[in-house]
Amino acid sequence: MNVQITHLINSDKKIHAVVEKCIQCGTCSASCPLNQYMDYTPRQLIALVREGMIDEALKSRTSWLCSTCYLCAVRCPVKINIGDFMTSLKRYAIKNGYSDNLPYSKLTKTYVDLVNKYGRISETKLIITFSLKTNPLKLLKMLPLSAKLLREGILSLSLEKVKNIQEIRT
Amino acid sequence: MFKKNVSYYPGCSCSKSGLARYYGSSSLAVLKKIGVNVSEIEDWNCCGSNLYRTIDENKAYLLGARNLAKALEMGLPEILILCPACFLSLKRTLTEVFTNSTLLIEVKKKYSVFGNRTSSIPNVRHIIDFLVNDIGEDVFKKNVEKKLDGLKVAPYYGCQITRPYGLFDDPEFPTSMERIFSWIGANPIDSPLKTKCCGGMLTITNEGEVLPMIKKILESYIRLGAECIVTACPLCHLNLEIAKMKIKRTVKEISNIPIMYFTQLIGLSFNLPFNELGITKEIVEHLNKKIIVTASLRGGKNE
Amino acid sequence: MNRRIGVYICHCGLNIASVVNVEKLTEYVKELEDVVIARNYPYMCSDPGQEIIKKDIKEYNLTNVVVAACSPTMHGPTFQKACEEAGLNPYMFQMVNIREQVSWVTDDIEKATEKAKLLVSAAVNRVRFHQPLEKILVPVKQSILIVGGGIAGIEAALKIANSGKKVYIVEKEPSIGGRMAQLEKTFPTLDCAACILTPKMVEVASNPNITLITYAEVKEVSGYIGNYRVKVIKKPRYVDESKCIGCGLCAIRCPSKVPDKFNMGLNNRRAIYMMFPQAVPRKYTIDSEHCLFFTKGVCRVCEKFCPTKAVNFDQKPEEIVLEVGGIILAIGYDLFDPSVIKRYGYGRYMNVYTGLEVERLVSASGPTNGKIILRDGRTPSTIVIIHCVGSRDENYHTYCSKICCMYAMKLAHLIKERLPNSTVYELYIDIRAHGKGYEEFYRKVQEEGVIFIRGKAAEVAEVGNGRLSVIFEDTLLGRVQSIEADMVILATAAEPRKDAKELARLFRVPLDKDGFFLEKHPKLAPVSTVSKGVFVAGACQGPKDIPDSVAQGAAAASEALALLSSGVIEVEPIIAEVNKNLCSGCRICISTCPYGAAVYDAESKTATIQEVLCQGCGTCVASCPSGARTLKQRGFTDEQILGELEMILPKPKIKMKAVA
C-alpha cells in the first residue's frame, strides 16, 4: 500500500468527517442508480477508506461511476455528502496516477485544459477533443445526433474567450 | 407592472455558443416579458463545476468566486442561473467561501468586493425558484396569452436543481415546475422518476451503463401518456435526446414526444416569437394538435 | 458590622486542581480584606470537608463563608446546610464556580488561576454586604394533579391515591388509557395490553381518592411548589356524564360517519362515539366537528333515542380550578408522521402502513377484528418492516426512539401468528433489544422464521396491482437487493407531543434538544424538573416502553408523596422587599410582576410584596422609578452586585496609572 496516499487521505478533513460519521446503513448504495455496475457499493467504499485500505479504494471503479446526482446525500441519515466523497476519491486517484487510462479521468483533464485556456468551455469542443484523445470512432457514432443539432442550429464550434483571462489562470 | 433587477449567469451551456442556447434565450425572453430586468454578468467564466473540482478543488471555488464577485461589482447580488450544474457550483462556492476561513481570505485578496462591508452577500437562485417564489402566480398569469389546455407535460427535473442545495423544494419530489404548468393550463404528469439521474457526463464516458437508466425514465413518461417532456437542465436535455435517438426504432411513440426546456413551453403560452424560443416549426405544429388552445392563440403574432 | 470571612477552595479531585493552582489561589485570597482564614481541600463537599468549615466558623467566629468549587446548583445547598449547622445564617454564604466556569473550559493554568482569583475576590467583596435572611415556611396542599391518563399517569395516580392522598387526573381525550389502550399485545411477554390495562383503568374510576377529569385541558398555572393553582377547561361532551349509561343506542342511530382516530383512521366511527369498548369513563361523546346538528343544524337523532336523556346540546365548556401541592406531567408521545419521508411512499401507496396502524389491524377490537387485511382487500403474503423511520436520522430525529425495534419484532410475531405462511422481513440498522427478556424475544422471533436483513431501506416503489418493491442494500452481503412485498410497515419513531411546548411553557419545565421534557438530572433526578414540585413520568421525558413508563410513574408518585408528607416547604427568602417609607405608591411594580405577587395596599398607599408568591425574578426592582432603595431584592442588593462587579471589572486605566 502506498503509505503516502494513506497519509494524504487521513489528513483530509472532509474525508475524515465522512468516515467518522458513517453508520454503514447502506442507504447510499441502494439509492445509487448505477450501483449494479460498481465493484464495491458506496457504503463499502467508505468502509475501505475507514479501514485504511486506500489503495483498494482508489483502484475501485465505484467512484468513477458516480454522476454526482446526490440522491445518496439527501437521503443519508447522518448527512454525509457521499457524492462529494466520491469526487474527493476521484481527485486522489487522478493525482496519484491510478486512473491515467480511464476515460472519465481524461474527460476531466480535457475540461480543465479548456477552462484554463478559454475561461469557458463549449460542449462541442469538449466532446470532440475528448473523443480524438480516446476513441475517434465514437464521433462517427454521434453523427445522427450531431446532424439533428446542426439542423436545429444548435451545434457550433465557436467559443468566446473570457476577456480577462489572466484572472482565470492565476 | 412588475419590475425587478437581477444579474444573470448563463454558464457555458446556456450561453450563445452553448448547446442549450435556446434554454438561455427562451428564459431571457420569458423574464423580459414578465418585467424582470436581467443583466448578464460581465465577462463571466466557468462556474468551477464538479468536473473541474475533480482536478483542483480550491481553484474551482476561485473560479466560482470570480463570477460572484462580478455580480457584486455590478451591484446585483441576486444571481439567476438556469443550468443546475452551474447553480450547484456557485451555491457550493458560496457555502465554502463562508465556512472555510482560509478560502475566504484568499478570495478576499483576489476579489476585494467580497468582505467589503457595503456589499451584500450574493444570493444564488435557480430560475424555477425565482419564477415560483418571487414572481408568483398572479404576476406570472398576467403574461399568459395562450392557455395550453390539457397538454400532458412531463416535467423532468433531474438531480442537481434540488440536490443538495436547492432547498426551495423537496429534494426528491419537487412540485415547482408542476405549479408553473398549472398556471399555463397544462396538465403535469407525475412520475416517481422525475428527479432520478440522467447520467450526467457519464453518457460520454460510460454510455453502456448509463443509457438503460435514461431509457427507463423515458419509458416511464411514455407509459404515463406524456405528450411533451420538459427539462430544466442542458445535460438532462442532451441525454434525453441521445436516449430518444437510441430507442426511436424500438419504441415508436417516442418520436412524437418533443423534449423541450420548460421556459420554451412558458414562452409558447406567453406568445413569444419562435426564433427567440428556439422552437422548430414541427414541434409547434405537433403541439398545436395536442393543445386545446384557449384565448388568443389564433391570430397571434406567430401566424 | 465587623466582617470575618472564611474562604474554602475545593480541588474537586483533579477536576479543578489540575488546572487552577489552588495553593497560589489560597495564598492570594488570604491577603484579601476581611478574610481571616483561607484553605484548600481535595473534596470540600465530603463530610470531612464540611467539618472543616463548621469547625472554622466556631473557632474563628466567622461572619461569612465563601466556597470556590463546582456549580452552586450542585452543592450550594450542601454548604448552606453546613453553615446552618454551625450556627451561621445560610445566606451569609456565597459559592463561586471555578470548575464549570474555569477549570473545565481551559488548559491554561496561568489564565485559569487568574480568573479564579478574580471570581473569588468578587465573592469575598460581595459577602461583605450579605445580611442574614430567614426562610419562609408554607404549608403544602395535600393533593396532586396528574396531566395525562396513559399508563404512566394511571400508575402514578393509583400509587398516590392508595396511600390516602387526593389525585386529579386531567386527560385530553374522552377516555384514559393512552397509547397502551391502542396496543394488541405487549413485548416481550406478549400479554394482551387490554387485559392488563383495563383493570387499572377501572381501579382509577372507582378509587374515591381520584377525581377523573376527561376531555379536558390545562389552560393556566399559577402558584409555586406546595401551592399550585391550575385552571382546567373541560370541553363539552354534549352528553351528561352523570346520566349516560354507555348503552350505545345513540351511536347505532347516528348517521354521520367519521374516520376513527383511535383506529388510526382505518375505519369509521359515528359522530357520537365511545373511544374504544373498554373506555373509562364509559361515556359517549359528541364530536361537534362532524355532528350533523352542529354542522348543519339538523338531526338530533341521538337525543331522541337516548333512554336516559343524557344528550345535551347546550353543554358549555366548563372551567375547573384545582389547588394542588404538586404536579406530575405524563402526557406521553406522538408518532412521527412518515409522509414527510416521501421516498417511503406513505400516504401515496395505499399498502404502506405505520406500526401503530398495523397494531390496530391486528387488534381483536380493531377495525378488522384482528384480521390482517390490506386497504385493497387482499391478505398480504410478503411483508417488509422498515426500522428507524424518523429516528436515528439527522434529517428528522437524531435520537434512537428505543421502542421501535421491539414493537417491530412484536408485529412480525403477530403477523406470523395470524398468517403462518407469510414471509416477514425486518430491515434494520442495529437491533436494540436492551430490556429484560428482550434479547430472548429477538431470538424467538428469528426462530419463528422472520428474516432479519441489516440494511436501511432506501426507497419503496410501486410495481403495480398494489404491490410494492423495497430497495435496500443487504450490508452483510454488500449487495443491493429489492423485495417485492404486499405490505410495507414503517416502524415510526416516537416524538414529543405536539402540545409539549405549550405545556412546558405553562408549567415552566424546560424541553431538551429533541423537545421532550427535560428532567432535573438524567441519572440522579430522572423524574424531577427544575420547576420545583413539577415531576415528569413516562414517554414525555423521552421514548419509553411500558415497563419503563410504569417505573417512572411510580417514581414520580413517590416524589410527589414525599413532597406531600413533608407538610410544609421552605421558600427561598431571596425575594423583593418594599421600603414603605420611600414607596410613592405609583403601582408600576404591580403591573410588571409576572406572578401577581406585588399588590397595592390601600391603607398605607404603598406597594406590598406577597412573600409566598414572589419568585425573586427582580422585574419589579428594575421597574421601580425611585430606585433600589425603595424596592430591593434580598440577596441581590445593589451593594452586593456592585461589590461583586467592582472586583471583576478592570480598574479604569487613569486610576491605574495614578496608583502606579
Side-chain angles (χ1 to χ4, degrees):
Chain A
M1 191 193 306
N2 188 330
V3 179
Q4 222 180 342
I5 304 169
T6 312
H7 175 75
L8 213 62
I9 289 199
N10 281 341
S11 62
D12 186 319
K13 272 190 205 148
K14 283 182 183 170
I15 288 200
H16 227 62
V18 168
V19 168
E20 278 168 355
K21 281 190 95 181
C22 178
I23 57 168
Q24 292 284 308
C25 69
T27 303
C28 48
S29 313
S31 299
C32 182
L34 288 165
N35 69 67
Q36 68 267 41
Y37 303 107
M38 294 171 171
D39 46 359
Y40 289 106
T41 66
R43 174 192 63 83
Q44 286 175 318
L45 207 60
I46 295 175
L48 278 179
V49 175
R50 166 145 81 197
E51 287 173 36
M53 292 143 91
I54 312 287
D55 188 58
E56 217 165 320
L58 294 183
K59 277 180 185 155
S60 157
R61 70 191 301 246
T62 296
S63 65
W64 301 104
L65 282 165
C66 172
S67 66
T68 59
C69 79
Y70 297 108
L71 193 56
C72 48
V74 296
R75 286 178 175 184
C76 176
V78 288
K79 292 191 172 173
I80 292 174
N81 191 329
I82 297 115
D84 283 357
F85 173 74
M86 296 293 178
T87 306
S88 298
L89 286 189
K90 283 183 219 171
R91 193 179 315 118
Y92 281 110
I94 292 174
K95 236 182 230 165
N96 295 288
Y98 278 83
S99 59
D100 294 345
N101 295 318
L102 280 181
Y104 196 91
S105 165
K106 285 184 182 157
L107 180 70
T108 52
K109 282 179 188 158
T110 317
Y111 183 91
V112 168
D113 287 347
L114 275 178
V115 173
N116 289 347
K117 192 166 169 198
Y118 298 99
R120 300 176 189 172
I121 61 130
S122 112
E123 300 100 322
T124 319
K125 210 165 191 139
L126 175 68
I127 293 171
I128 291 176
T129 321
F130 165 73
S131 302
L132 288 176
K133 269 189 196 170
T134 51
N135 180 9
L137 281 177
K138 216 179 153 164
L139 285 174
L140 281 178
K141 272 172 130 184
M142 288 186 187
L143 272 180
L145 181 70
S146 316
K148 181 183 186 298
L149 295 177
L150 205 60
R151 207 169 53 241
E152 287 169 10
I154 294 172
L155 212 64
S156 99
L157 278 168
S158 73
L159 174 53
E160 208 178 322
K161 198 172 174 178
V162 168
K163 282 182 212 113
N164 198 344
I165 193 73
Q166 225 36 51
E167 272 184 5
I168 307 285
R169 289 180 186 161
T170 51
Chain B
M1 202 185 133
F2 185 82
K3 271 271 169 249
K4 192 163 173 135
N5 298 322
V6 293
S7 57
Y8 163 63
Y9 176 78
C12 303
S13 295
C14 303
S15 72
K16 287 183 193 80
S17 51
L19 284 186
R21 74 185 59 168
Y22 291 123
Y23 184 15
S25 64
S26 60
S27 299
L28 290 177
V30 163
L31 290 167
K32 193 174 149 204
K33 169 111 196 220
I34 292 170
V36 184
N37 195 1
V38 178
S39 319
E40 185 172 316
I41 292 178
E42 286 154 19
D43 201 30
W44 55 270
N45 57 273
C46 165
C47 63
S49 72
N50 268 347
L51 272 182
Y52 202 103
R53 221 160 56 89
T54 309
I55 299 283
D56 188 341
E57 188 174 14
N58 203 56
K59 180 79 186 288
Y61 298 140
L62 292 177
L63 283 174
R66 183 174 177 270
N67 296 312
L68 300 176
K70 296 268 169 205
L72 290 185
E73 279 163 12
M74 288 162 73
L76 295 169
E78 189 155 19
I79 306 165
L80 272 195
I81 301 187
L82 312 180
C83 169
C86 300
F87 171 66
L88 170 85
S89 294
L90 294 193
K91 271 270 193 194
R92 183 200 301 283
T93 302
L94 206 54
T95 320
E96 284 289 330
V97 167
F98 286 105
T99 51
N100 177 344
S101 52
T102 339
L103 180 64
L104 181 61
I105 292 167
E106 197 177 347
V107 167
K108 274 184 181 170
K109 224 160 101 193
K110 261 191 114 156
Y111 309 108
S112 57
V113 65
F114 268 99
N116 185 341
R117 272 183 199 200
T118 50
S119 61
S120 5
I121 292 172
N123 185 10
V124 177
R125 307 283 305 273
H126 191 266
I127 184 171
I128 295 184
D129 175 21
F130 183 76
L131 287 178
V132 169
N133 298 315
D134 286 28
I135 305 297
E137 183 169 1
D138 295 341
V139 177
F140 189 95
K141 274 188 166 169
K142 280 186 192 131
N143 299 287
V144 175
E145 291 185 12
K146 306 178 195 171
K147 281 214 158 195
L148 311 179
D149 275 3
L151 181 70
K152 287 190 193 158
V153 179
Y156 177 56
Y157 289 81
C159 55
Q160 294 175 347
I161 295 177
T162 54
R163 291 196 300 263
Y165 290 105
L167 300 173
F168 61 91
D169 209 335
D170 189 275
E172 287 188 52
F173 297 91
T175 49
S176 296
M177 271 209 264
E178 281 88 333
R179 280 172 67 192
I180 296 176
F181 297 153
S182 72
W183 300 341
I184 59 176
N187 246 354
I189 279 174
D190 192 23
S191 162
L193 303 183
K194 66 181 170 188
T195 61
K196 290 280 152 76
C197 177
C198 76
M201 280 295 188
L202 293 178
T203 19
I204 304 175
T205 57
N206 299 61
E207 197 186 284
E209 290 93 334
V210 169
L211 264 182
M213 209 160 74
I214 322 174
K215 283 182 188 164
K216 221 166 105 187
I217 294 167
L218 274 183
E219 281 159 5
S220 126
Y221 282 129
I222 294 169
R223 238 193 342 270
L224 291 164
E227 289 166 343
C228 159
I229 296 173
V230 170
T231 78
C233 171
L235 209 47
C236 290
H237 191 279
L238 182 67
N239 284 344
L240 288 180
E241 286 283 11
I242 291 174
K244 185 177 164 181
M245 290 237 138
K246 302 267 172 189
I247 64 171
K248 217 156 59 179
R249 269 189 219 129
T250 47
V251 190
K252 288 270 185 278
E253 305 96 304
I254 191 70
S255 45
N256 280 327
I257 306 176
I259 297 163
M260 312 168 64
Y261 292 107
F262 82 109
T263 42
Q264 291 179 311
L265 198 67
I266 296 174
L268 272 181
S269 93
F270 282 11
N271 211 10
L272 297 170
F274 293 156
N275 57 341
E276 272 178 53
L277 300 180
I279 299 179
T280 55
K281 232 192 171 124
E282 47 187 293
I283 288 186
V284 179
E285 275 163 13
H286 169 71
L287 286 181
N288 276 348
K289 267 183 243 157
K290 304 274 179 187
I291 307 169
I292 312 157
V293 186
T294 55
S296 59
L297 172 67
R298 309 288 169 204
K301 54 186 147 183
N302 287 316
E303 283 184 39
Chain C
M1 180 179 171
N2 237 352
R3 297 286 176 164
R4 301 175 58 77
I5 305 171
V7 182
Y8 301 88
I9 294 147
C10 182
H11 300 191
C12 195
L14 285 176
N15 275 310
I16 292 170
S18 66
V19 183
V20 175
N21 186 335
V22 286
E23 290 302 335
K24 225 166 141 186
L25 180 60
T26 315
E27 288 313 307
Y28 168 82
V29 172
K30 276 183 182 160
E31 302 305 316
L32 294 174
E33 200 181 341
D34 293 339
V35 171
V36 293
I37 178 77
R39 298 178 194 271
N40 61 65
Y41 189 75
Y43 291 102
M44 279 316 306
C45 62
S46 67
D47 271 349
Q50 294 182 46
E51 272 314 309
I52 296 173
I53 300 177
K54 286 189 206 167
K55 212 168 132 240
D56 281 358
I57 290 175
K58 286 174 190 148
E59 206 174 311
Y60 292 92
N61 202 13
L62 298 181
T63 59
N64 295 82
V65 167
V66 172
V67 175
C70 56
S71 156
T73 7
M74 188 80 198
H75 276 306
T78 312
F79 297 117
Q80 278 192 318
K81 203 164 145 257
C83 291
E84 209 171 358
E85 280 166 7
L88 185 67
N89 184 290
Y91 296 93
M92 301 303 268
F93 158 83
Q94 178 70 16
M95 191 152 175
V96 188
N97 186 350
I98 57 167
R99 192 178 72 180
E100 282 87 337
Q101 291 176 8
V102 180
S103 70
W104 277 0
V105 289
T106 180
D107 297 323
D108 190 325
I109 294 178
E110 200 73 16
K111 282 184 180 161
T113 311
E114 280 312 304
K115 185 175 177 189
K117 280 183 189 171
L118 278 181
L119 292 177
V120 175
S121 52
V124 167
N125 206 32
R126 183 189 212 276
V127 287
R128 295 171 64 227
F129 302 102
H130 277 207
Q131 297 295 335
L133 298 174
E134 290 312 318
K135 282 198 169 144
I136 304 157
L137 293 179
V138 216
V140 174
K141 294 249 159 59
Q142 293 298 303
S143 57
I144 296 291
L145 162 69
I146 297 174
V147 184
I151 186 61
I154 289 174
E155 181 66 25
L158 290 175
K159 283 275 182 303
I160 297 168
N162 287 336
S163 66
K165 305 287 183 191
K166 188 104 192 75
V167 179
Y168 300 96
I169 299 181
V170 172
E171 166 61 53
K172 191 170 65 176
E173 299 292 338
S175 166
I176 57 169
R179 289 284 175 213
M180 189 175 169
Q182 288 181 288
L183 307 183
E184 163 67 0
K185 285 187 176 175
T186 56
F187 59 78
T189 47
L190 294 171
D191 16 21
C192 141
C195 310
I196 55 174
L197 175 66
T198 315
K200 284 196 177 264
M201 289 165 61
V202 173
E203 211 183 322
V204 165
S206 61
N207 193 309
N209 280 332
I210 299 177
T211 308
L212 190 52
I213 309 168
T214 50
Y215 213 42
E217 283 177 51
V218 173
K219 276 286 159 277
E220 222 178 279
V221 183
S222 58
Y224 51 96
I225 178 170
N227 293 273
Y228 281 108
R229 219 179 117 85
V230 183
K231 206 179 270 175
V232 175
I233 304 290
K234 191 167 165 41
K235 294 174 273 188
R237 271 176 190 265
Y238 304 108
V239 172
D240 189 334
E241 281 186 46
S242 63
K243 288 184 187 160
C244 176
I245 52 169
C247 67
L249 284 175
C250 50
I252 296 171
R253 306 289 176 158
C254 176
S256 172
K257 287 181 183 170
V258 190
D260 188 344
K261 208 176 110 197
F262 184 79
N263 280 339
M264 306 307 292
L266 292 171
N267 66 338
N268 287 331
R269 59 158 167 78
R270 306 303 168 106
I272 186 164
Y273 70 107
M274 184 147 65
M275 265 177 84
F276 51 101
Q278 304 91 336
V280 168
R282 248 186 92 71
K283 309 288 173 193
Y284 275 77
T285 306
I286 293 179
D287 169 356
S288 60
E289 272 176 45
H290 297 97
C291 166
L292 285 179
F293 175 69
F294 284 106
T295 53
K296 299 204 172 93
V298 289
C299 188
R300 301 183 82 129
V301 164
C302 48
E303 194 180 32
K304 261 174 242 147
F305 284 92
C306 179
T308 58
K309 302 281 164 250
V311 175
N312 174 9
F313 287 102
D314 299 325
Q315 242 180 31
K316 295 275 168 295
E318 189 187 338
E319 189 182 292
I320 302 167
V321 175
L322 304 172
E323 295 200 333
V324 294
I327 293 158
I328 297 173
L329 299 177
I331 63 167
Y333 64 99
D334 273 333
L335 281 150
F336 173 76
D337 173 11
S339 62
V340 301
I341 308 182
K342 298 217 168 79
R343 62 180 193 271
Y344 286 160
Y346 180 77
R348 197 153 38 98
Y349 305 138
M350 82 180 133
N351 292 330
V352 179
Y353 288 79
T354 68
L356 198 54
E357 284 171 351
V358 180
E359 196 79 56
R360 293 313 300 150
L361 217 50
V362 294
S363 166
S365 64
T368 55
N369 299 324
K371 286 206 185 77
I372 303 170
I373 302 168
L374 294 174
R375 288 197 178 94
D376 58 13
R378 290 184 300 130
T379 302
S381 60
T382 307
I383 296 109
V384 176
I385 305 179
I386 300 176
H387 285 228
C388 297
V389 177
S391 59
R392 300 186 69 198
D393 188 329
E394 290 179 16
N395 301 295
Y396 311 101
H397 297 305
T398 312
Y399 56 83
C400 165
S401 155
K402 217 175 152 186
I403 53 174
C404 328
C405 277
M406 289 308 293
Y407 85 63
M409 289 195 270
K410 178 195 68 184
L411 289 176
H413 162 82
L414 291 175
I415 293 168
K416 273 287 195 187
E417 187 182 80
R418 310 282 160 85
L419 305 169
N421 293 325
S422 64
T423 316
V424 183
Y425 296 93
E426 301 250 8
L427 294 184
Y428 68 96
I429 316 178
D430 299 292
I431 292 287
R432 304 234 157 127
H434 60 284
K436 188 171 172 176
Y438 290 12
E439 178 66 20
E440 291 83 341
F441 186 75
Y442 173 25
R443 295 286 306 130
K444 172 188 156 78
V445 175
Q446 237 176 344
E447 281 161 23
E448 283 169 357
V450 173
I451 301 163
F452 287 80
I453 300 175
R454 193 194 174 280
K456 192 173 165 82
E459 72 181 84
V460 176
E462 207 170 27
V463 290
N465 299 328
R467 281 178 62 85
L468 303 157
S469 153
V470 185
I471 301 153
F472 60 91
E473 180 188 10
D474 183 329
T475 60
L476 302 180
L477 260 180
R479 200 182 292 163
V480 175
Q481 311 267 53
S482 68
I483 299 174
E484 245 185 72
D486 303 294
M487 182 186 206
V488 169
I489 304 172
L490 307 177
T492 50
E495 62 181 20
R497 284 272 190 205
K498 307 266 173 307
D499 51 4
K501 233 184 203 162
E502 173 62 11
L503 286 166
R505 190 188 60 78
L506 279 175
F507 290 100
R508 292 193 291 274
V509 172
L511 297 174
D512 65 21
K513 67 177 184 358
D514 300 314
F516 292 105
F517 291 140
L518 181 65
E519 67 285 343
K520 193 172 173 193
H521 190 284
K523 297 167 194 81
L524 302 179
V527 296
S528 304
T529 68
V530 290
S531 194
K532 282 183 186 161
V534 180
F535 309 102
V536 289
C540 59
Q541 179 258 353
K544 245 171 232 73
D545 54 19
I546 295 167
D548 285 0
S549 295
V550 171
Q552 274 211 336
S558 91
E559 290 275 8
L561 283 171
L563 166 66
L564 295 194
S565 47
S566 67
V568 285
I569 49 135
E570 289 174 346
V571 177
E572 282 288 325
I574 306 219
I575 54 172
E577 186 182 354
V578 181
N579 184 336
K580 297 253 169 200
N581 295 328
L582 294 174
C583 177
S584 67
C586 73
R587 304 185 214 191
I588 287 174
C589 55
I590 296 167
S591 66
T592 59
C593 177
Y595 303 101
V599 288
Y600 185 67
D601 178 15
E603 206 171 301
S604 63
K605 295 200 168 79
T606 58
T608 302
I609 305 294
Q610 292 178 291
E611 287 192 337
V612 291
L613 288 180
C614 178
Q615 300 290 306
C617 71
T619 312
C620 59
V621 179
S623 71
C624 179
S626 61
R629 284 182 54 218
T630 308
L631 191 49
K632 75 172 178 193
Q633 176 88 342
R634 293 183 200 151
F636 286 90
T637 62
D638 276 11
E639 294 94 338
Q640 291 166 358
I641 294 171
L642 292 174
E644 204 170 0
L645 288 178
E646 194 190 339
M647 301 308 284
I648 290 179
L649 296 177
K651 309 274 177 296
K653 272 193 182 143
I654 304 162
K655 205 175 166 188
M656 290 282 278
K657 270 182 191 158
V659 172

